[in-house]
């Protein structure tokens, strides 16, 4: 037979754990055609049997044999295909898809079989169920009966060999129900129609076979048979023993009338005579009389040996294939359900994706490319190399390493002549800049002191070092605007830039007598002296010429003193610092000749922090006073710290002490100062406080003008002499004013003599001779904590150029190699940088990008997780809302893959929208960031390119896949019957 079931068993585990045997070993064979009714009370197992037969559910035991193929070999996909190929399902609840028109509902079943939508075919099917006129209507505009007929049409369109209907008329009134049964009956002429019903009357009228179930078992299985009517004449037929049929339009003979009279006598029944056509049809049905006037009665279904056998090889299954556009349509329809949640999901994903978009864009940012490009368009005529090295700070306590900083510090360091030479070989004849500073952290600031202060920020009369001319200085010779021979530059001669000339002209240069030198033409400054004061001492140089070197016009705004464009000011100071505006050209002999005079190098006293504070007691005007010090320093004549020892001495004895200027004066005493004859000294020194202040920092309070005023150098010198004289007076009194008592932790005292004072020094700890320092530190115990720079770099002894300045390379490859080589750390931890406002800005931009990148990454990840959860939730909700559709589709024959398709379409639409919006958002953000960078460094630096698009796309795809896969997996894995049961 086409369909056979053998020994089907199905048990359900109820919630309480009690197993219900819904089907208990049912075996049946079905013929090719005919209408089979499954009859039985509610709960008898009818639906279970039908579902198993239709492959909506799988049996616990037994098998289904379809055209010779046994379900024992079926996978879930095979069950789906079996249904898709052979079975048309009709349910009680009609179950048509509401978002599809009547026509499309039917076409969908066709398409699920991989067949093309054929409108003619669809309309023909609708005609069969008399629904052609409603083809383009939406199901919710139809009545129940009409919907059920649509459902029948949908079952039919696949041209299935079997139609299964579970209580198809259960929700219909009896008249409409009859129409449905009529339709099914007609179909059963060419198909096997299996109908579940609990209505015995209908079963007997329409059924060719009635199988009755009780408690999961077949209790009767009967087939309709026809008992021929007894014909007494052409006019009369006697059907069974209680019905007589009179031929339509017949004129009854006397014999006929006799036969009727006999029949009535025999049957003793009531007589019902009618000629209404309708009533006759109804009567026939009610009385089970077929159109040939044969009496229908049900007899036990016999084994049907005549049923043909099937070769399983010929039972071809068709796998369902839900066309993408339907999947999208169904998927998209549920997006309307929760608009607010959808909006949130989209917004959150949009932010997440945009973060990732920016993150990936930043990943492709290449600092070197950007630097190179900005240099190319900078219009600079020089490039400047500076050298730096990396170090890590390590702290030691009592010789043990206790802390190592996790970050790398960078410090300036000079180039050696050899290094300058190497650079010159590559980049041409450039200038070696030196500023006599050996302290990597600070520039040696050199101000030109014989000028007045400029009132405009544009004009600056400070030097940032000197530029040593190379062997071939023709380029610089060409730039001269004065009649100067660079070959004849002496070792105290300089050639200044036109910018510096302008500055000096604006500020006003003074001659040795303090008179203003008129500067009109460049030549006017030739031969004039510049007094250069460094933090070390003073240097006098002679200007021998001027070379053309002007500031870019963009800084002209700073000539208006009111300018508060801080970014311009910042760029201005960097431009001055990195250019050669303030570095006069000098001959190679200059460096050595002025080294001592200009050097600012400071070596500091060795200092120590004491565990126990040191107490110093002294007499101040007859009163015992004391001071506590937590640290001390060791005297070293080689340092350039400001120490004054009485009598011009340069060594300190073991029992001598140096205090800060204020304490030293207090030790000598105010009373002594007052009684001292100060007539030889300038009147401002007659005031105790002014005297101390002049020594400390060179200023005093002018009581007349109520102002702090700088003392002249002469007055300052007098102040030192006054201190010495006062000191001598104290010694002469013999009152030991200059004696101090140092008390050690054990309470022992030792006496020290004041030997001088120090000034202009931020520390106020006392200074001792080295040996005293060592023994005091030993007895007081000191916090032996010091830090060291740990680095492979050692400053070479001959290192002297803090920068090297070259003509801007005309060969772009040279520029590129300069850019590429910059910031590449060598084995000795050193590297060179290209110093310019540009590289500062570019590295600022890089820093900014790097921190933004990290932020974007983390925000992106967090947002992505949240948006994934939201999408997960959103898809879960639409799955809940789509259970019905899924059930219908599964019943019609859709596979789990088709279910996936629906929800992947949905999430693909959502994440597609997010992707597109994120693309736009990333583009816009990059655009604005680029504008910012354009202001910062004069170049746009972010390119949101195809690879970033791909990355963004990938992230959108992956997040939506994960968020969709999990919720859909559970629904797609469900047996179709579970989805349908949810209907
Ligand atoms: P019918 O269609 O004849 O009303 P069913 O086939 O639906 O009967 O049910 C047969 C028996 O199996 C009933 O006792 C019913 O309670 C039980 N049953 C059906 N489906 C389930 C299920 N999913 N879980 C538990 N019990 C079920
Ligand atoms: Mg049922």
């Amino acid at each position: 037979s086409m369909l056979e079931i053998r020994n089907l068993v199905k048990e359900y585990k109820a919630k309480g754990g009690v197993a219900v045997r819904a089907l208990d070993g049912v075996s049946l064979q079905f013929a090719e055609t005919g209408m089979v009714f499954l009859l039985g009370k509610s709960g008898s197992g009818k639906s279970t049997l039908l579902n198993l037969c239709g492959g909506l559910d799988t049996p616990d035991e037994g098998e289904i044999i379809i055209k010779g193929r046994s379900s024992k070999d079926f996978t879930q996909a095979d069950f789906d295909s079996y249904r898709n190929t052979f079975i048309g399902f009709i349910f009680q609840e009609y179950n048509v898809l509401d978002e599809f028109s009547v026509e499309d509902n039917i076409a969908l079943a066709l398409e699920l079989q991989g067949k093309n939508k054929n409108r003619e075919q669809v309309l023909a099917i609708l005609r069969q169920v008399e629904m052609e006129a409603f083809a383009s209507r939406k199901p919710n505009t139809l009545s129940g009966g009409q919907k059920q007929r649509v459902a029948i049409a949908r079952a039919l369109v696949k041209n299935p060999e079997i139609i299964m209907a579970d209580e198809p008329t259960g929700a219909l009134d009896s008249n409409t129900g009859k129409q449905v049964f009529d339709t099914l009956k007609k179909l059963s002429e060419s198909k096997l129609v299996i109908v579940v019903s609990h209505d015995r009357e209908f079963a007997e009228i329409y059924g060719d076979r009635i199988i009755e179930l009780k408690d999961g078992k077949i209790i009767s299985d009967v087939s309709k048979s026809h008992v021929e009517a007894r014909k007494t004449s052409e006019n009369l037929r006697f059907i069974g023993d209680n019905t007589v049929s009179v031929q339509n339009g017949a004129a009854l003979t006397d014999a006929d009338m006799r036969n009727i009279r006999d029949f009535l006598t025999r049957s003793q029944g009531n007589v019902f005579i009618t000629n209404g056509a309708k009533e006759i049809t109804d009567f026939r049905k009610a009385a089970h009389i077929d159109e040939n006037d044969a009496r229908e009665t049900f007899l036990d279904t016999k084994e049907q040996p005549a049923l043909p056998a099937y070769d399983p090889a010929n039972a071809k299954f068709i796998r369902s294939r839900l066309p993408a556009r339907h999947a999208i349509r169904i998927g998209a329809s549920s997006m309307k359900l929760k608009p607010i949640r959808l909006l949130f999901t989209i917004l959150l994903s949009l932010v997440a994706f945009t973060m990732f978009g920016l993150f990936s864009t930043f990943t492709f940012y290449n600092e070197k490319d950007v630097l190179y490009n900005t240099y190319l368009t900078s219009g600079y005529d020089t490039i400047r190399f500076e050298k730096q090295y990396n170090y890590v700070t390590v702290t030691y306590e009592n010789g043990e390493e206790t802390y190592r900083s996790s970050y790398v510090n960078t410090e300036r360091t000079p180039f050696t002549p050899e290094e300058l030479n190497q650079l010159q070989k590559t980049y041409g004849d450039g200038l070696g800049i030196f500023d006599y500073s050996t302290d990597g952290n600070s520039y040696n600031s050199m101000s030109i002191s014989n000028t007045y202060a400029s009132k405009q920020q544009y004009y600056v009369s400070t030097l940032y070092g000197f530029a040593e001319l190379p062997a071939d200085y023709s380029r610089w010779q060409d730039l001269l605007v004065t009649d100067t021979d660079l070959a004849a530059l002496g070792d105290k001669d300089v050639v200044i830039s036109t910018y510096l000339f302008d500055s000096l002209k604006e500020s006003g240069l003074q001659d040795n007598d303090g008179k203003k030198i008129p500067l009109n033409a460049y030549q006017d400054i030739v031969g004039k002296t510049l007094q250069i004061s460094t933090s070390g001492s003073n240097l006098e140089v002679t200007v021998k010429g001027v070379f053309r070197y002007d500031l870019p016009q963009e800084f002209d705004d700073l000539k208006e003193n009111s300018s508060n464009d801080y970014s311009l000011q910042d760029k201005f100071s960097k431009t001055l610092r990195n250019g050669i505006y303030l570095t006069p050209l000098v001959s190679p002999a200059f460096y050595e000749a002025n080294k001592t005079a200009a050097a600012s190098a400071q070596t500091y006293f060795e200092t120590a922090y004491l565990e126990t504070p040191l107490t110093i007691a002294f007499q101040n005007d007859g009163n015992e006073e004391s001071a506590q010090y937590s640290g001390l320093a060791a005297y070293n004549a080689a340092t350039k710290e400001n120490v004054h020892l009485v009598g011009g001495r340069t060594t300190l004895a073991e029992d001598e002490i140096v205090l800060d200027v204020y304490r030293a004066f207090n030790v000598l005493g105010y009373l002594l100062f007052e009684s001292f004859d100060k007539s030889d000294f300038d009147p401002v020194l007659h005031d105790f406080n002014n005297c101390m202040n002049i020594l400390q920092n060179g200023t005093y309070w002018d009581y007349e003008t109520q102002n702090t005023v700088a003392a002249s150098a002469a007055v300052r010198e007098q102040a030192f002499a006054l201190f010495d004289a006062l000191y001598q007076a104290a010694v002469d009194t013999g009152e030991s004013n200059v004696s101090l008592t140092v008390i050690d932790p054990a309470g022992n005292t030792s006496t020290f003599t004041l030997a001088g004072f120090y000034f202009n020094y931020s520390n106020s700890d006392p200074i001792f001779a080295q040996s005293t320092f060592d023994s005091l530190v030993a007895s007081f115990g000191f916090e032996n904590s010091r830090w060291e720079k740990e680095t492979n770099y050692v400053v070479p002894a001959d290192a002297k150029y803090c920068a090297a300045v070259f003509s801007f390379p005309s060969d772009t490859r040279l520029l590129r190699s300069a850019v590429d080589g910059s910031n590449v750390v060598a084995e000795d931890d050193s590297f060179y940088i290209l110093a310019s406002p540009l590289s500062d800005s570019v590295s600022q931009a890089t820093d900014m990008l790097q921190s933004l990148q990290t932020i974007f990454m983390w925000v992106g990840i967090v947002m992505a997780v949240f948006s994934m959860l939201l999408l997960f939730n959103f898809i879960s909700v639409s799955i809940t809302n789509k259970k019905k559709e899924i059930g219908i589709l599964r019943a019609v024959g859709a596979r789990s893959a088709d279910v996936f398709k629906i929800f992947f379409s949905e999430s693909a639409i959502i994440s597609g929208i997010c992707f597109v919006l994120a693309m736009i958002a990333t583009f816009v953000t990059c655009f604005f960031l680029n504008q910012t960078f354009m202001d910062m460094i004069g170049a746009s630096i972010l390119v949101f390119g195809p690879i970033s698009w791909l990355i963004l796309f990938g992230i959108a795809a992956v997040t939506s896949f994960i968020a969709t896969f999990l919720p859909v997996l559970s629904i797609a894995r469900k047996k179709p019957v579970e989805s349908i049961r949810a209907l």
Side-chain angles (χ1 to χ4, degrees):
S1 67
M2 179 169 66
L3 177 63
E4 184 182 350
I5 56 172
R6 287 191 194 150
N7 196 29
L8 286 188
V9 173
K10 183 77 184 175
E11 275 192 358
Y12 292 112
K13 283 265 186 297
K15 284 246 165 71
V18 194
V20 177
R21 212 159 239 248
L23 223 49
D24 192 4
V26 173
S27 300
L28 283 169
Q29 285 189 326
F30 292 97
E32 255 78 307
T33 60
M35 193 144 165
V36 180
F37 273 81
L38 298 178
L39 213 57
K41 295 208 180 83
S42 177
S44 56
K46 309 182 294 291
S47 295
T48 306
L49 179 58
L50 193 75
N51 291 343
L52 289 179
C53 287
L56 288 173
D57 204 350
T58 45
D60 296 333
E61 273 172 49
E63 60 187 315
I64 298 157
I65 293 155
I66 177 74
K67 290 200 167 177
R69 272 181 76 166
S70 167
S71 67
K72 286 203 161 138
D73 314 325
F74 282 15
T75 60
Q76 181 57 50
D78 286 332
F79 276 110
D80 292 336
S81 303
Y82 157 59
R83 239 173 17 254
N84 193 36
T85 316
F86 297 107
I87 316 244
F89 265 104
I90 300 157
F91 299 94
Q92 180 175 349
E93 294 290 341
Y94 352 111
N95 294 331
V96 281
L97 296 171
D98 284 330
E99 63 257 29
F100 284 61
S101 68
V102 166
E103 198 180 328
D104 289 347
N105 259 289
I106 291 156
L108 179 64
L110 202 57
E111 286 169 302
L112 268 175
Q113 286 200 312
K115 291 172 189 152
N116 281 335
K117 177 175 172 174
N118 177 337
R119 186 143 201 269
E120 280 314 304
Q121 198 183 343
V122 169
L123 290 181
I125 296 284
L126 282 173
R127 203 172 304 131
Q128 275 188 46
V129 295
E130 288 160 23
M131 288 294 293
E132 198 186 3
F134 300 90
S136 53
R137 294 267 283 266
K138 279 280 168 80
N140 53 12
T141 65
L142 299 179
S143 73
Q146 288 171 326
K147 281 193 204 173
Q148 193 59 297
R149 277 186 279 161
V150 174
I152 294 172
R154 186 183 56 197
L156 284 180
V157 77
K158 302 196 291 183
N159 198 19
E161 292 175 62
I162 307 170
I163 286 186
M164 295 186 176
D166 195 344
E167 313 221 14
T169 60
L172 303 175
D173 63 71
S174 76
N175 225 19
T176 325
K178 270 181 208 157
Q179 289 170 20
V180 169
F181 277 128
D182 284 336
T183 310
L184 290 175
K185 181 73 192 172
K186 215 164 69 194
L187 294 173
S188 72
E189 285 163 20
S190 56
K191 296 174 192 306
L192 174 61
V193 177
I194 306 177
V195 184
V196 165
S197 174
H198 52 250
D199 190 329
R200 181 174 297 277
E201 203 179 327
F202 274 126
E204 287 182 353
I205 293 170
Y206 291 99
D208 294 313
R209 182 177 175 188
I210 299 172
I211 299 163
E212 201 171 340
L213 290 166
K214 192 183 176 207
D215 298 334
K217 287 203 178 78
I218 295 173
I219 53 166
S220 97
D221 180 357
V222 293
S223 293
K224 189 173 272 177
S225 56
H226 299 262
V227 180
E228 286 294 311
R230 187 168 53 88
K231 251 188 192 174
T232 55
S233 75
E234 273 312 303
N235 295 335
L236 289 186
R237 284 180 183 75
F238 291 92
I239 305 162
D241 52 5
N242 59 3
T243 310
V244 59
S245 161
V246 180
Q247 191 62 30
N248 195 11
L252 296 178
T253 62
D254 286 350
D256 290 339
M257 294 305 286
R258 255 195 318 274
N259 281 333
I260 292 170
R261 208 179 316 128
D262 290 349
F263 174 77
L264 289 173
T265 311
R266 247 183 294 124
S267 64
Q268 293 177 335
N270 295 323
V271 181
F272 169 69
I273 298 171
T274 179
N275 63 354
K278 171 113 180 14
E279 283 84 347
I280 290 169
T281 325
D282 289 347
F283 172 75
R284 276 178 184 278
K285 277 183 183 163
H288 302 288
I289 297 166
D290 72 11
E291 56 275 20
N292 300 321
D293 286 350
R295 173 80 187 278
E296 293 172 339
T297 119
F298 284 91
L299 302 171
D300 274 359
T301 307
K302 298 279 175 294
E303 283 289 319
Q304 292 154 308
L307 294 176
Y310 282 90
D311 179 358
N314 293 335
K316 285 275 182 303
F317 288 0
I318 303 166
R319 307 196 93 195
S320 71
R321 192 186 60 82
L322 180 67
R325 60 173 207 288
H326 291 319
I328 292 168
R329 187 156 144 198
I330 300 171
S333 71
S334 64
M335 285 170 51
K336 291 173 244 155
L337 290 170
K338 301 265 176 202
I340 304 291
R341 198 176 304 199
L342 178 64
L343 190 72
F344 271 107
T345 311
I346 288 180
L347 276 181
L348 212 62
S349 316
L350 167 65
V351 176
F353 293 173
T354 307
M355 294 291 157
F356 282 119
L358 291 171
F359 173 77
S360 77
T361 308
F362 287 12
T363 308
F364 292 105
Y365 164 78
N366 181 324
E367 184 175 8
K368 295 266 163 84
D369 285 350
V370 171
L371 191 56
Y372 172 70
N373 286 325
T374 46
Y375 265 109
L376 266 189
T377 56
S378 66
Y380 286 175
D381 56 2
T382 55
I383 55 168
R384 178 187 179 102
F385 296 84
E386 283 184 11
K387 195 178 176 187
Q388 301 189 338
Y389 71 95
N390 288 334
Y391 67 89
V392 169
T393 309
V394 184
T395 306
Y396 295 90
E397 257 159 54
N398 300 316
E400 296 285 319
E401 177 182 327
T402 54
Y403 176 74
R404 177 177 292 266
S405 74
S406 55
Y407 50 86
V408 173
N409 283 302
T410 296
E411 196 170 293
R412 280 191 343 142
T413 186
F415 290 111
T416 62
E418 169 55 22
E419 285 169 334
L420 177 66
N421 208 255
Q422 286 300 326
L423 287 170
Q424 283 170 336
K425 276 186 191 145
T426 315
Y427 298 103
D429 288 309
L431 305 164
I433 313 282
F434 52 86
D435 65 1
Y436 294 116
S437 164
T438 55
D439 174 10
N441 280 322
S442 57
Y443 296 89
N444 190 2
S445 74
M446 300 186 246
S447 58
I448 301 171
S449 52
N450 57 333
T451 59
Y452 305 93
S454 166
K455 290 193 175 62
Q456 297 167 26
Q457 26 188 328
Y458 184 84
Y459 297 111
V460 174
S461 41
T462 298
L463 295 190
Y464 292 149
F466 302 93
E468 184 177 299
L469 283 167
D472 177 4
Y473 46 77
S474 49
R475 170 182 147 85
W476 308 100
Q477 186 79 50
D478 292 346
L479 289 179
L480 293 177
V481 293
T482 50
D483 185 17
T484 310
D485 180 7
L486 291 182
L489 281 187
D491 62 11
K492 299 252 182 220
D493 295 341
V494 300
V495 175
I496 65 170
S497 68
T498 44
Y499 165 74
L500 183 55
F501 174 85
D502 290 341
S503 280
L504 295 173
K505 180 181 166 184
E506 280 303 315
S507 313
L509 189 67
Q510 302 168 353
D511 64 15
N512 285 342
D513 302 328
K515 271 190 253 142
K516 190 167 175 175
I517 301 169
L519 296 175
N520 296 315
Y522 293 125
Q523 201 65 36
D524 294 347
I525 201 167
V526 174
K528 301 296 182 294
T529 298
L530 298 184
Q531 304 275 0
I532 299 162
S533 70
T534 71
S535 54
S537 41
N538 289 325
L539 178 66
E540 242 179 53
V541 297
T542 309
V543 179
K544 280 293 162 77
V546 180
F547 67 100
R548 168 69 59 199
Y549 209 75
D550 296 317
L551 271 175
Q553 277 186 349
E554 61 179 308
F555 300 117
D556 282 359
D557 281 353
L558 298 173
K559 289 177 182 167
E560 312 297 323
N561 212 24
S562 56
S563 167
N564 48 14
D565 179 344
Y566 295 110
S567 86
L568 186 67
Q569 287 175 16
D570 182 55
K571 194 171 175 190
F572 171 71
S573 58
K574 282 175 179 162
T575 302
L576 282 187
R577 175 62 78 184
N578 291 313
I580 51 172
Y581 305 95
L582 297 172
T583 53
L585 305 177
V586 297
S587 72
F590 188 96
Y591 178 78
E592 279 302 327
N594 302 291
K595 192 174 178 180
T596 322
S600 72
Q602 311 236 339
T603 48
Y604 299 107
F605 296 134
E606 184 184 352
T607 57
Y609 289 97
L610 301 173
E611 254 175 11
T612 316
L614 173 131
T615 307
I616 295 178
F618 57 94
Q619 294 286 324
N620 180 10
D621 299 331
N623 299 318
E624 195 74 30
E625 284 198 9
S626 72
Q628 289 208 324
Y629 295 94
S630 58
L632 42 80
Y635 181 75
N636 179 349
T639 67
K640 286 201 150 223
E641 313 232 54
N642 302 315
V643 173
H644 172 77
L645 299 185
V646 284
R649 293 161 45 203
T650 54
T651 55
L652 204 60
E654 284 195 358
D655 61 350
E656 285 182 327
I657 188 169
V658 176
L659 296 173
D660 69 278
V661 63
Y662 297 114
R663 184 77 70 201
F665 252 85
N666 275 315
V667 168
L668 294 183
Y670 177 72
L671 293 178
L672 180 66
F673 179 86
E674 285 299 292
S675 60
F676 182 70
D677 175 12
K678 298 184 282 286
S679 53
D680 287 348
F681 299 92
D682 192 284
V684 293
L685 295 172
H686 295 191
D687 181 87
F688 188 68
N689 287 315
N690 275 349
C691 203
M692 287 192 293
N693 282 331
I694 288 167
L695 286 175
Q696 168 69 4
N697 53 34
T699 63
Y700 65 94
W701 183 252
D702 185 340
Y703 292 97
E704 253 167 50
T705 60
Q706 293 287 304
N707 257 327
T708 302
V709 183
S712 70
V715 168
R716 194 137 193 243
E717 252 170 60
Q718 279 190 32
F720 287 103
L722 174 64
F723 182 87
D724 283 6
L726 199 61
Y727 184 91
Q728 194 54 50
V731 173
D732 291 346
T733 58
E735 287 176 27
S736 71
N737 288 51
V738 294
S739 289
L740 304 126
T741 307
V742 171
I743 306 161
D744 74 10
N748 304 319
T749 58
S750 39
T751 307
F752 286 85
T753 310
L754 182 67
F757 61 89
Y758 58 93
F759 55 94
N760 218 347
Y761 177 51
S762 55
N763 207 336
S764 64
D765 293 339
I767 300 170
F768 295 92
Q770 183 72 48
S771 57
T772 314
F773 171 87
D774 291 342
S775 65
L776 281 173
V777 164
S779 67
F780 280 76
F782 72 116
E783 287 179 23
N784 187 0
S785 143
R786 67 195 159 89
W787 59 273
E788 276 178 14
K789 291 175 184 173
E790 197 167 280
T791 177
N792 292 324
Y793 183 72
V794 182
V795 191
D798 60 345
K800 71 180 200 191
Y801 301 106
C802 60
V805 173
F806 293 86
S807 315
F808 199 82
S810 49
D811 183 349
T812 53
R813 281 168 307 175
L814 265 186
L815 177 65
R816 182 75 217 197
S817 79
V819 168
D820 285 344
S822 67
N823 290 81
V824 177
V825 181
E827 257 176 35
D828 71 348
D829 290 336
S830 75
F831 57 93
Y832 74 80
I833 61 163
L834 287 181
S836 81
L838 274 187
S839 25
D840 281 358
S841 309
V842 170
S843 64
Q844 262 174 34
T846 306
D847 288 350
M848 186 174 132
L849 282 184
Q850 274 166 355
S851 37
L852 280 180
Q853 191 184 19
T854 319
I855 293 170
F856 287 164
M857 189 186 76
W858 286 110
V859 174
I861 288 174
V862 171
M863 293 290 223
V865 169
F866 275 111
S867 73
M868 239 154 75
L869 288 176
L870 267 185
L871 188 60
F872 182 100
N873 175 273
F874 192 82
I875 296 291
S876 305
V877 168
S878 38
I879 285 171
T880 313
N881 288 308
K882 279 277 174 267
K883 275 207 174 122
K884 179 179 169 190
E885 278 81 357
I886 297 167
I888 297 167
L889 286 170
R890 300 285 328 248
V892 175
R895 289 176 295 150
S896 13
D898 295 321
V899 177
F900 271 109
K901 236 188 233 175
I902 290 171
F903 295 103
F904 277 124
S905 313
E906 182 175 348
S907 71
I909 291 169
I910 297 172
S911 55
I913 292 171
C914 298
F915 169 70
V916 171
L917 291 178
M919 286 282 285
I920 296 169
T922 311
F923 263 118
V924 171
T925 314
C926 284
F927 174 80
F928 283 109
L929 280 174
N930 274 335
Q931 296 256 301
T932 311
F933 291 124
M934 189 60 102
D935 292 343
M936 260 173 89
I937 60 179
S940 63
I941 62 176
L942 295 173
V943 184
F944 181 44
I947 300 177
S948 298
W949 304 348
L950 273 181
I951 290 174
L952 192 56
F953 184 82
I955 283 165
V958 167
T959 50
S960 66
F961 179 82
I962 296 171
T964 313
F965 186 76
L966 295 175
V968 177
L969 185 63
S970 67
I971 181 90
R973 267 195 176 162
K974 275 201 174 126
K975 283 183 200 147
V977 69
E978 289 164 349
S979 305
I980 294 161
R981 205 174 284 135
L983 297 179

